[in-house]
């Protein structure tokens, strides 16, 4: 199952991009025997619309259009569920075992995700009630996907 990180905005060169790249690169060899990966990153430009609702709608439409056909969708949203790393891994495995060819993880822009994206999500995940910069959320998500792969493979990276 192909994994996709679909995000609004571009990560500029720097520590955050380096960390995301490091985890995405680790997912490929670790996930291959499990039928997970590769992990691709899709970056959607931020909308220039004046109203927040219009920005969210434009960005949401662009995100949905960029996803592989038939992909499952997990959205990062403050209204989502907080999952343990083990639960996150189990949900990824269930999507894979359900026959999906791709699983997309979606991070919205500064205004959040529109209803159209949230409605299509099989799951909404939150990293607590605090607000984090989108760049850090991308790092945290890439790390959690890598951690999920290591949990599923029995690798000692995750020490439960």
């Amino acid at each position: 199952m192909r994994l996709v990180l679909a995000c609004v905005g571009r990560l500029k060169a720097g520590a955050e991009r380096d960390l995301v790249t490091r985890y995405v690169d680790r997912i490929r060899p670790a996930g291959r025997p499990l039928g997970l990966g590769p992990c691709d990153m899709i970056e959607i430009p931020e909308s220039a619309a004046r109203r927040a609702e219009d920005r969210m709608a434009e960005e949401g439409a662009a995100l949905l259009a960029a996803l592989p056909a038939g992909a499952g969708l997990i959205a990062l949203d403050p209204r989502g569920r907080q999952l343990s790393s083990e639960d996150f891994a189990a949900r990824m495995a269930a999507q894979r075992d359900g026959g999906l060819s791709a699983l997309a993880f979606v991070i919205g822009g500064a205004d959040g995700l529109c209803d159209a994206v949230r409605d299509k999500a099989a799951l909404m995940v939150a990293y607590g009630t605090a607000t984090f910069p989108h760049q850090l959320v991308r790092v945290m998500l890439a790390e959690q996907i890598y951690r999920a792969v290591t949990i599923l493979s029995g690798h000692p990276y995750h020490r439960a």
Side-chain angles (χ1 to χ4, degrees):
M1 177 175 71
R2 177 180 169 201
L3 304 172
V4 177
L5 273 70
C7 312
V8 174
R10 293 208 175 278
L11 272 182
K12 295 175 179 59
E16 294 90 352
R17 183 172 271 301
D18 293 345
L19 282 170
V20 170
T21 300
R22 180 182 305 164
Y23 288 119
V24 166
D25 289 347
R26 287 180 181 179
I27 291 166
R28 184 178 314 263
R32 186 177 299 124
L34 303 170
L36 295 170
C39 186
D40 301 315
M41 192 163 46
I42 298 171
E43 294 179 318
I44 302 299
E46 296 174 27
S47 169
R50 290 183 155 231
R51 294 180 340 119
E53 297 82 16
D54 296 337
R55 285 191 299 272
M56 288 190 302
E58 286 179 14
E59 292 166 353
L63 283 166
L64 292 174
L67 300 181
L73 198 152
I74 295 178
L76 273 74
D77 189 279
R79 293 169 262 194
R81 297 179 60 192
Q82 296 181 48
L83 299 176
S84 69
S85 295
E86 293 87 351
D87 288 340
F88 186 82
R91 292 196 182 247
M92 278 181 52
Q95 296 288 337
R96 176 202 60 200
D97 297 345
L100 279 181
S101 60
L103 181 59
F105 301 87
V106 176
I107 300 173
D111 299 305
L113 292 168
C114 66
D115 289 338
V117 174
R118 284 196 301 270
D119 291 346
K120 288 192 184 280
L123 174 67
M124 291 194 311
V125 175
Y127 288 143
T129 57
T131 301
F132 296 101
H134 288 82
Q135 300 89 336
L136 291 181
V137 171
R138 206 177 302 191
V139 172
M140 292 170 14
L141 176 59
E143 191 280 337
Q144 278 301 292
I145 294 169
Y146 174 67
R147 183 175 296 274
V149 168
T150 64
I151 289 169
L152 295 172
S153 70
H155 189 280
Y157 176 81
H158 178 72
R159 294 180 176 101

